[in-house]
Each structure stands twice: as structure tokens, then as C-alpha cells.
């Protein structure tokens, strides 16, 4: 009888242990954090009640090598690759030469799980064809299994008008297709992109029209979340939902973006995950953190060569360190970091090359280790003279990187 009871308990627990993990992220274009925070948005509030809301930032580090324009496609690619513009090379909406040597979350996911499915639902066809790189040789012919996009090119069903109401109708089509796909096909990793809010921001700035657009977005997210909850209930799947934006808007009137002012840089994230870590709550989280968060949730093992380049930090699970800073002082590099665990070591690596940019490999040398709680270290680089250094700090739970450009050099 005792053995039978153990067997029954084990069988009862098996579905929970074997839950399939799936994720979907939504980029709702051009909504400042203060707009989200002041409006009553019941759809988003439901997600927040079950999970969390935090502020993020975009734009890289102001005044440094990785300062990044607060522009739409730039933000999308920062999310997709977990890197800033100095690496992913999408500085504007033209998307002329993305650097595919910095893989997107879709490519990392499919490399590890080629049998699993990915989906893209968007008004911009470029999101799938250029940023994700659907079927491009540069991405190894990565295949997007399910997609719905290109509606901006369909001027018969979505006749363009000066008020850009057609863009709202396109977003409605996108959310309808995405919700149906999640409910019936359930891709393992999906991206949903919605544009209308940014259009209203450009046309009307901070205005009733912009607020109404955000409320319409809220209704669309309700439909998407209902599809996710249907899957969770009917198929006992474990779903992660992340909703964010790509940039804020200017302080003066809310029409523009692209610069480095606080409001243009300040964004936000809503998720149904209620177990965000202490780094996520620190106030330093950024759009580049979403990629490694998705990877950790979906159990994607990021290769060492890529992990050393990722600028983001997971927002779920344990984190050792963040906020790496480095200063060159007469043959010595002074390092500092924030720590989120009191115990353990930080291994310090360095390289004087940036061959990854062109598809090559960098040779790293090992400088030693420091106590994670110390938050700083001095590294002697006299044996490795260079005008440029990549520094990688490896903690027990995550890796961070920073670059050093020696003063007076290019």
C-alpha cells in the first residue's frame, strides 16, 4: 500500500514536472513609462496583478561607446540580441546592415531546439525578414514557422488615411492572428509587434489621442492574455509573457524621440512572472535584459562566445553581478560592479581584439578572480598593451562585459 501511494503521488506530480515552457514578447511602440503609470488599464493591470511591472531603460550608457539611439528598430534589435547598437549595428529604421554575428533569441532558441516552433506577428515585414532574418544565409536559413505580417503593404484591405486609423485596424489584425495562433498552434517562442501608439505619439504628442491608443492597446493585450491563459488551462503549459516598448518620448510635447533625455530613455516592462529577481527591482534594468530572460526561462544555453558579448542580464533566477564599469589608469584597469549575492568569486577575463564583430573569435586571457562582495578590482594590463580592451566578469550565475577604450586613442 505504501509503494502504491508513492506511485500515485509521483504520477500526480508528473504533469507539473513535465510542463512545456513557452514564451511570447510584445513590443508596443513608443509609449513612455509615465503614460502607462497614470492611465487605468485593466488588461495590463490583470497581468501585473499576476506578475510584475518595472521600469526599464533604452539607449545604452549615455556618452559612452554603446550609447544607442532611442529609435524603434534599434530598440527592437537591442531586445532581440541583448546587445546595444555598437554590436548589433542597427542605428535607425532603415535596417541596412544588421550584424548577424550577434544572434537573436530566435536563432539561439532554434539552434538548440530545431524541432520547436517560432512565430512573428507584426505590421512591419522588416521585423521578420531583416531583424529576425527569416530564411537568410546570414542566419543559417533560420525559419520562422508561423507569421502574419505585411499588412502595411495591403492598401486595399487597409486603405491608408491621414488619421492613420488604418494602422489601428492593422494592429487589430495582428493581435487577432497572434491570439489565434497562440490558442491553436502555440509556437514555443513568439514576437508580437503593435505600431499604432507610436503613430499617435508622432501626430498628437501627449494628448487624448495618444491615451486612447494606449487604451485600445490594453484591450488587445487582454485578448492575447486570454489566449495564453486558455493554453495554460487546457494544455497545462508554462507561459511567460513580456510586454514592453522600444523608446519613450520627448519631455516637451511627446511628439519625438531618438535622443538621450530621461523620458526618451525611460521605458517599462509588464510580465506575468511574479518571481523577478533583485536585479530586476534595482532600477538598472534595460531592454537588453529581456533576451537573456527569455533564454533562461526557455532553458536556452547561450554559448560562451555569445554570452561574453551579451549586454543584458536575466531578470529571473539568481544573478551574481551587474553594472560593470572600467577605467584605464596608466597600465592598470580599475573595475567595479554591483553584486546581488554576498558569496562567491568573480573571474576576470580580458581581450585586446574584437574579432566577433566580423565573425571571428577573440582570444581571452585570464586575470584572476576577486570576491564578488568586494565590488571592485584592479587589473594590471602592462603585459597586454593595447588601445582597446574587452573585459568580461564571470560570476557564479551570470556574466557581464564592458569595454575600455584607452584615452587619447581611437
Amino acid at each position: 500500500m505504501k509503494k502504491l501511494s508513492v506511485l500515485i503521488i509521483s504520477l500526480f506530480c508528473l504533469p507539473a514536472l513535465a510542463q512545456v515552457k513557452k514564451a511570447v514578447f510584445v513590443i508596443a511602440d513608443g509609449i513612455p513609462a509615465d503614460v502607462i503609470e497614470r492611465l487605468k488599464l485593466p488588461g495590463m493591470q490583470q497581468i501585473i496583478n499576476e506578475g510584475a511591472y518595472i521600469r526599464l531603460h533604452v539607449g545604452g550608457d549615455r556618452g559612452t561607446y554603446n550609447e544607442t539611439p532611442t529609435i524603434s528598430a534599434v530598440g527592437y534589435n537591442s531586445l532581440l540580441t541583448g546587445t546595444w547598437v555598437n554590436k548589433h549595428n542597427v542605428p535607425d529604421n532603415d535596417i541596412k546592415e544588421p550584424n548577424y554575428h550577434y544572434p537573436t533569441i530566435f536563432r539561439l532558441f532554434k539552434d538548440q531546439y530545431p524541432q520547436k516552433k517560432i512565430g512573428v506577428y507584426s505590421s512591419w515585414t522588416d521585423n521578420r525578414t531583416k531583424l529576425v532574418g527569416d530564411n537568410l544565409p546570414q542566419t543559417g536559413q533560420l525559419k520562422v514557422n508561423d507569421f502574419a505580417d505585411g499588412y502595411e503593404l495591403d492598401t486595399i484591405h487597409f486603405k491608408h488615411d491621414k488619421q492613420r486609423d488604418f494602422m489601428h485596424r492593422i494592429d487589430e489584425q495582428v493581435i487577432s492572428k497572434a491570439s489565434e495562433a497562440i490558442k491553436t498552434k502555440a509556437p514555443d517562442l513568439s514576437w508580437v509587434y503593435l505600431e499604432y501608439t507610436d503613430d499617435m505619439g508622432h501626430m498628437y504628442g501627449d494628448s487624448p489621442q495618444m491615451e486612447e491608443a494606449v487604451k485600445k492597446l490594453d484591450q488587445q493585450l487582454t485578448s492575447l492574455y486570454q489566449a495564453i491563459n486558455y493554453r495554460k488551462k487546457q494544455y497545462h503549459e508554462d507561459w511567460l509573457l513580456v510586454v514592453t516598448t522600444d523608446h519613450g518620448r520627448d519631455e516637451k510635447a511627446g511628439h519625438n524621440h531618438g535622443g538621450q533625455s530621461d523620458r526618451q530613455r525611460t521605458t517599462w516592462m509588464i510580465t506575468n512572472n511574479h518571481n523577478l529577481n533583485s536585479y530586476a527591482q534595482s532600477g538598472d534594468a534595460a531592454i537588453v535584459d529581456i533576451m537573456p530572460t527569455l533564454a533562461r526561462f526557455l532553458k536556452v544555453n547561450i554559448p560562451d562566445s555569445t554570452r561574453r558579448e551579451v549586454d543584458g542580464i536575466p531578470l529571473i533566477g539568481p544573478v551574481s553581478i551587474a553594472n560593470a564599469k572600467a577605467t584605464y589608469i596608466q597600465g592598470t584597469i580599475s573595475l567595479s560592479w554591483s553584486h546581488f549575492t554576498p558569496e562567491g568569486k568573480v573571474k576576470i577575463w580580458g581581450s585586446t581584439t574584437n574579432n566577433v564583430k566580423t565573425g571571428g573569435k577573440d582570444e581571452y586571457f585570464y586575470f584572476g578572480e576577486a570576491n564578488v562582495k568586494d565590488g571592485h578590482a584592479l587589473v594590471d594590463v602592462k603585459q597586454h598593451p593595447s588601445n582597446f580592451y574587452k573585459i568580461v566578469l564571470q560570476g557564479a550565475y551570470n556574466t557581464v562585459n564592458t569595454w575600455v577604450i584607452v584615452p587619447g586613442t581611437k
Side-chain angles (χ1 to χ4, degrees), residues 7-292:
L7 179 60
I8 292 172
I9 292 172
S10 298
L11 290 173
F12 182 79
C13 293
L14 187 60
L17 295 174
Q19 265 192 319
V20 175
K21 290 183 176 290
K22 295 177 181 281
V24 55
F25 62 94
V26 181
I27 299 179
D29 205 312
I31 309 172
D34 56 272
V35 174
I36 294 293
E37 291 164 2
R38 73 168 179 263
L39 295 179
K40 291 184 178 180
L41 303 167
M44 294 188 198
Q45 192 60 54
Q46 180 189 359
I47 302 170
I48 295 168
N49 290 344
E50 297 177 14
Y53 169 90
I54 60 171
R55 282 193 170 197
L56 301 180
H57 73 267
V58 297
D61 299 314
R62 268 185 289 222
T64 72
Y65 66 90
N66 67 17
E67 182 176 290
T68 297
T70 55
I71 295 173
S72 295
V74 188
Y76 313 163
N77 218 34
S78 289
L79 188 159
L80 291 170
T81 64
T83 67
W84 297 117
V85 70
N86 60 300
K87 296 176 182 176
H88 67 61
N89 198 42
V90 176
D92 51 40
N93 289 334
D94 292 338
I95 320 178
K96 289 182 178 178
E97 295 182 284
N99 192 332
Y100 296 109
H101 298 306
Y102 301 92
T104 67
I105 182 60
F106 287 107
R107 190 171 171 192
L108 292 168
F109 181 72
K110 289 287 271 188
D111 282 349
Q112 185 167 337
Y113 303 109
Q115 76 283 6
K116 294 193 175 183
K117 309 300 183 183
I118 59 176
V120 176
Y121 311 95
S122 166
S123 57
W124 273 17
T125 308
D126 286 355
N127 288 344
R128 173 177 57 86
T129 59
K130 292 184 178 181
L131 295 181
V132 177
D134 187 20
N135 205 35
L136 292 181
Q138 300 96 312
T139 63
Q141 267 74 44
L142 172 74
K143 181 172 179 57
V144 176
N145 304 99
D146 193 61
F147 62 89
D149 59 20
Y151 301 113
E152 74 279 10
L153 305 175
D154 182 356
T155 56
I156 296 176
H157 294 94
F158 302 97
K159 186 177 180 181
H160 292 200
D161 58 285
K162 292 182 179 180
Q163 294 75 29
R164 293 192 70 82
D165 289 338
F166 76 94
M167 201 64 242
H168 170 62
R169 295 195 300 275
I170 287 177
D171 280 0
E172 288 282 285
Q173 177 80 345
V174 168
I175 209 71
S176 175
K177 291 289 187 179
S179 300
E180 183 64 19
I182 285 171
K183 189 174 181 180
T184 59
K185 303 175 186 178
D188 298 279
L189 173 61
S190 300
W191 174 16
V192 180
Y193 168 71
L194 303 167
E195 180 184 331
Y196 183 62
T197 46
D198 190 52
D199 289 354
M200 294 301 96
H202 281 297
M203 291 181 68
Y204 301 105
D206 297 314
S207 62
Q209 291 90 336
M210 177 62 169
E211 292 185 359
E212 185 61 29
V214 175
K215 291 176 181 177
K216 289 178 179 177
L217 164 70
D218 189 64
Q219 295 171 359
Q220 292 164 345
L221 292 177
T222 298
S223 299
L224 188 71
Y225 201 41
Q226 286 172 347
I228 290 172
N229 285 330
Y230 170 84
R231 294 293 308 190
K232 290 172 68 175
K233 182 178 179 180
Q234 297 296 321
Y235 297 91
H236 307 289
E237 296 162 343
D238 185 10
W239 281 79
L240 173 66
L241 170 63
V242 172
V243 185
T244 190
T245 194
D246 50 343
H247 55 76
R249 313 201 76 84
D250 71 273
E251 286 84 348
K252 183 178 180 181
H255 287 277
N256 302 311
H257 56 87
Q260 291 290 319
S261 70
D262 285 347
R263 193 176 188 230
Q264 292 174 84
R265 289 172 54 87
T266 301
T267 59
W268 48 273
M269 184 187 83
I270 291 169
T271 178
N272 65 335
N273 190 302
H274 62 275
N275 290 317
L276 298 188
N277 56 33
S278 54
Y279 166 72
Q281 307 289 350
S282 70
D284 294 319
I287 197 169
V288 291
D289 299 329
I290 293 175
M291 189 278 269

Side-chain angles (χ1 to χ4, degrees), residues 308-325:
R308 285 173 165 167
E309 299 295 331
V310 172
D311 296 319
I313 295 167
L315 302 170
I316 57 176
V319 166
S320 301
I321 53 177
N323 303 318
K325 300 283 189 281

